[in-house]
Amino acid sequence: MSDWQKHILGKLTLRQKIAQMISVRALSHFVSSDSESFASLSRLVSDVGIGGVTFFQGTVPGQAFYVNQLQSLADIPLLVAQDAENGIGMRLTDATILPHMMAIGATGDPLNAYEASKIIAAESNVLGVHHIFAPVADVNTDPDNPIINTRSFGSDPERVASFVVESVRGLQDSNVIATVKHFPGHGDTAIDTHLNLATLEFDRSRLDEVELVPFRAAFEAGVRSCMVGHLSVPCIDPTGLPASLSRPIVTGLLRNELGYDGLIVTDALDMKAITNTYGAGEAAVMAVEAGVDMLLLVADEVQALDAIEQAVDSGRTSEQWIDASVARILREKEWCGLNRQPEVSIADVFSVVANTDHLSRAVSLASAGICSMDGLDIQAVGDSYDQMIVLIKDDVCSGSGEIFTRELSSAAPASYVIYPESTSSDIDALVKASGEYDRVVVAVFLSVRSYSGSISFPPMILAAITKLAADSRNIVVLFGSPYVYALFDAGCPCIATCSTSPASEIAAAEFLIRGGKCPGSLPVTLQRV
């Protein structure tokens, strides 16, 4: 332990130590200094002394401003975190959005994961973000997985491991803490843990052969942080406790058996997989008892602090455990340089975030991951055809497809949109209209969305896709989950981007305009239903 770490740890009271173990939610949309939301967050930083802040939705200028404001209020620098798996732009409206991890996996080259992570790290550094909750180390083997899916690099454990390692290197080579998640593996579940507890219904040998492979590789590569998921794993803990609250899983498997000494964080403790069963205080105590270092997004910070303090006072848990966790947190803060410079330069933000180089590289990465679902070459979408675009979208409020339509507007000026809420009359009108064109480009958007509980289309929409895909002159482009391909019959060429990012829309349009052989390869296995 360094002199700085010893000095900080030595001056903290028990309650202040516990506060260092809590990271709270923050938004970076502008609010005035006298607003209740900012006042509440300020009190948690200055009065309670919480150890970290996790930023979600907002803007680039807003986040840079609030990071500086909050760091100026903190007696001990805050560990600022962000869940930015495919770029800071997935949280901030004006930052770079990269292709999803499955699209990076589809490129076949793990160095592309390194490149993507370097972009994330560059934008994180200038925004004062030190702790990124990525990469996803889950092996997505369940096609119906509603919450991992395209967030995973693929379905092959060794291939996923190689991409995870390079992603970790890309972040940490730039002094940003990488976090592998969701230990011990969330890829073979059909339940979104934002809604309920998921259970891994298989034996230990399967866990070793599939789920743990990328995590072991990341640990060997020196990943500094690991997020434990809200997953029941009976083969390790027969009580059925969530992994995030389970001592046999966190301390027994992760710490002792796998020898991991990095920073262990929970998944968000305000998710229903936890709150459906446990109160904020009890969940916090159980996480500490399990051996977790940092508690993310507890449902009630004061309840959590009170409960952990009472657990130590009563002898239920040990202050030595608290000290060990705080020592790891301080170690990471010092590794990031927070003991020297916690605030950010607005000028650096302006020159780095979403610069032309980052945006161009995002499109290049997306282009390299475009893959054929049927092995067919794609005939270029040219001006010599009378063409239309059909957007089939999983969310009526989504802007998906707007960029794709714009990029193809000269070749296919007509467009038609179908949503899950569309009626049979809407679909009949679409099918009839499509017959008037030489070719129809069918763009299907199917995204992972927290709290949705599923990732699919109604049967009527799948039937419409089948009708449009039956014409060999047409082209189907899958944005997001490629698994939907197994749910309809295709008589025409079909390509997949494995992402719904803006870069993927641009890359797909550019590819259709030039045509040819797809450069990527599908990183998951499909089984036709």
Side-chain angles (χ1 to χ4, degrees), residues 65-123:
F65 174 78
Y66 287 124
V67 164
N68 283 348
Q69 287 291 104
L70 294 172
Q71 291 289 21
S72 72
L73 295 172
D75 182 45
I76 301 169
L78 296 162
L79 189 63
V80 178
Q82 200 138 36
D83 189 0
E85 297 162 8
N86 62 308
I88 297 295
M90 71 176 277
R91 297 299 178 191
L92 306 184
T93 55
D94 30 18
T96 303
I97 305 177
L98 293 159
H100 289 80
M101 290 185 180
M102 189 172 285
I104 303 296
T107 69
D109 185 355
L111 290 179
N112 285 326
Y114 182 87
E115 181 180 351
S117 287
K118 290 288 282 186
I119 294 171
I120 295 171
E123 299 194 359

Side-chain angles (χ1 to χ4, degrees), residues 137-139 148 181-189 200 202 207 211-212 215 227 229 231 233:
D138 304 319
V139 181
I148 302 301
K181 62 183 186 182
H182 307 80
F183 186 86
H186 205 328
D188 195 4
T189 66
L200 306 188
F202 36 76
L207 199 70
E211 277 71 21
L212 293 180
F215 288 99
M227 179 183 288
L231 306 156
V233 192

Side-chain angles (χ1 to χ4, degrees), residues 29-98:
H29 299 292
F30 179 79
V31 293
S32 65
S33 60
D34 63 355
S35 68
E36 178 52 35
S37 61
F38 185 75
S40 175
L41 184 57
S42 297
R43 285 193 295 270
L44 287 171
V45 173
S46 60
D47 299 344
V48 177
I50 49 103
V53 172
T54 300
F55 276 98
F56 284 82
Q57 266 57 39
T59 66
V60 167
Q63 183 160 312
F65 174 78
Y66 287 124
V67 164
N68 283 348
Q69 287 291 104
L70 294 172
Q71 291 289 21
S72 72
L73 295 172
D75 182 45
I76 301 169
L78 296 162
L79 189 63
V80 178
Q82 200 138 36
D83 189 0
E85 297 162 8
N86 62 308
I88 297 295
M90 71 176 277
R91 297 299 178 191
L92 306 184
T93 55
D94 30 18
T96 303
I97 305 177
L98 293 159

Side-chain angles (χ1 to χ4, degrees), residues 210-518:
V210 179
E211 277 71 21
L212 293 180
V213 171
F215 288 99
R216 282 196 170 101
F219 299 157
E220 291 174 6
V223 67
R224 302 193 70 88
S225 178
C226 177
M227 179 183 288
V228 183
H230 304 320
L231 306 156
S232 172
V233 192
C235 70
I236 304 296
D237 185 350
T239 68
L241 281 176
S244 50
L245 309 183
S246 166
R247 189 163 181 82
I249 294 173
V250 176
T251 296
L253 176 61
L254 182 52
R255 281 276 187 239
N256 295 340
E257 184 178 338
L258 299 180
Y260 184 64
D261 190 43
L263 186 71
I264 298 178
V265 302
T266 65
D267 204 345
L269 289 171
D270 60 359
M271 292 163 65
K272 291 184 179 180
I274 300 299
T275 61
N276 284 347
T277 305
Y278 309 98
E282 181 62 14
V285 172
M286 292 175 72
V288 171
E289 288 180 319
V292 167
D293 298 314
M294 201 155 207
L295 315 180
L296 301 186
L297 314 184
V298 293
D300 186 300
E301 294 85 8
V302 174
Q303 283 186 30
L305 280 163
D306 289 345
I308 297 171
E309 191 171 29
Q310 290 166 12
V312 174
D313 290 342
S314 69
R316 176 178 171 181
T317 191
S318 165
E319 188 168 357
Q320 289 182 325
W321 293 356
I322 304 293
D323 287 349
S325 290
V326 176
R328 290 190 187 95
I329 292 166
L330 294 175
R331 179 184 68 191
E332 296 311 306
K333 290 185 177 185
E334 186 170 25
W335 182 81
C336 294
L338 281 170
N339 58 321
R340 298 186 301 274
Q341 178 57 44
E343 297 177 356
V344 302
S345 162
I346 300 301
D348 290 342
V349 173
F350 184 67
S351 64
V352 172
V353 177
N355 62 33
T356 54
D357 177 57
H358 289 180
L359 297 177
S360 173
R361 286 158 66 191
V363 174
S364 295
L365 289 168
S367 296
I370 294 174
C371 43
S372 172
M373 302 301 291
D374 44 34
L376 299 176
D377 289 354
I378 301 300
Q379 186 177 0
V381 174
D383 296 337
S384 58
Y385 295 94
D386 188 14
Q387 298 164 132
M388 75 176 292
I389 299 171
V390 173
L391 303 180
I392 298 180
K393 301 166 61 168
D394 58 353
D395 183 2
V396 70
C397 298
S398 164
S400 298
E402 293 176 1
I403 295 172
F404 181 70
T405 303
R406 183 193 69 211
E407 294 291 316
L408 284 180
S409 60
S410 62
S415 63
Y416 204 104
V417 184
I418 289 292
Y419 306 100
E421 296 81 5
S422 297
T423 66
S424 57
S425 298
D426 295 329
I427 293 173
D428 289 343
L430 160 64
V431 173
K432 181 179 180 181
S434 69
E436 300 174 5
Y437 291 85
D438 297 330
R439 177 187 286 173
V440 178
V441 178
V442 185
V444 180
F445 290 83
L446 189 57
S447 309
V448 171
R449 285 189 173 83
S450 301
Y451 296 98
S452 68
S454 65
I455 182 165
S456 62
F457 283 113
M460 186 169 62
I461 299 295
L462 292 173
I465 298 173
T466 296
K467 287 180 181 179
L468 294 168
D471 190 330
S472 62
R473 299 172 299 171
N474 296 342
I475 301 172
V476 175
V477 184
L478 302 180
F479 291 96
S481 176
Y483 293 106
V484 69
Y485 183 73
L487 303 179
F488 66 89
D489 295 321
C492 68
C494 180
I495 64 173
T497 66
C498 299
S499 176
T500 53
S501 71
S504 296
E505 292 194 33
I506 295 171
E510 291 178 347
F511 176 76
L512 291 182
I513 289 170
R514 67 177 180 269
K517 184 177 180 62
C518 293

